[in-house]
Amino acid sequence: DGTRILQITQGLAKSPGTCLSAQCTDSDGGLNYYVKGMSCQKDICGTDGCYNEQQLKEYYCDKSNNLAADAFICPNGCKDGACTGSSV
């Protein structure tokens, strides 16, 4: 299952020309811990990444359509910006 441990509100990077819409977008469809994605709002983007071998930083669009991020402990480890294994 993994464990969502906290919501992060810092560490987002400006990415000129990447996403200029006020609409928040997420390439992996939301809180998808098993697929590396990029989430953007206006000129701010965050790319999913591993803090270490177990912990993932997952960017997504929250219920208010704002860019947000969570820290998540992957049950089978974290590699290349996604949890390894499957969510089932």
Side-chain angles (χ1 to χ4, degrees):
D1 284 9
T3 305
R4 181 178 173 186
I5 55 176
L6 74 129
Q7 185 176 12
I8 302 162
T9 57
Q10 61 191 20
L12 302 174
K14 287 194 173 198
S15 299
T18 304
C19 301
L20 298 177
S21 171
Q23 181 79 16
C24 186
T25 60
D26 186 353
S27 67
D28 67 10
L31 287 170
N32 187 343
Y33 304 115
Y34 295 88
V35 176
K36 181 178 182 177
M38 176 185 281
S39 300
C40 298
Q41 186 175 28
K42 296 184 181 179
D43 64 343
I44 307 293
C45 293
T47 301
D48 300 344
C50 299
Y51 282 115
N52 53 46
E53 293 179 355
Q54 284 296 122
Q55 194 173 342
L56 173 71
K57 185 174 189 176
E58 171 74 11
Y59 289 94
Y60 65 100
C61 300
D62 67 14
K63 292 179 182 179
S64 299
N65 202 36
N66 292 311
L67 186 58
D70 278 355
F72 183 79
I73 298 174
C74 302
N76 299 308
C78 186
K79 185 176 181 181
D80 297 325
C83 292
T84 59
S86 73
S87 60
V88 179

